[in-house]
Amino acid sequence: MDRGQNTGGLMSSAGLVRYFDAEDSNAIRIDPKTIIAFGVLMGVFVQLLTFFS
């Protein structure tokens, strides 16, 4: 590998890691179990609509 060549690597992703690690105090917080439950209920609802139509 050439000495002057910049491969990007870890240096280019460092900003993204800092961005996603930061927590905003004004952000909406939703429990992951709530999201999974909503997805399951939505799937059951779609299946029922398909069954009865």
Side-chain angles (χ1 to χ4, degrees), residues 5-50:
Q5 185 180 8
N6 184 5
T7 58
L10 193 56
M11 224 23 192
S12 65
S13 65
L16 289 175
V17 172
R18 278 194 304 259
Y19 176 75
F20 286 114
D21 281 344
E23 291 188 23
D24 187 12
S25 61
N26 295 330
I28 298 173
R29 301 189 197 286
I30 301 174
D31 187 33
K33 292 177 187 173
T34 305
I35 300 296
I36 292 173
F38 180 75
V40 169
L41 290 174
M42 186 62 84
V44 169
F45 180 69
V46 169
Q47 291 296 322
L48 287 174
L49 286 178
T50 304

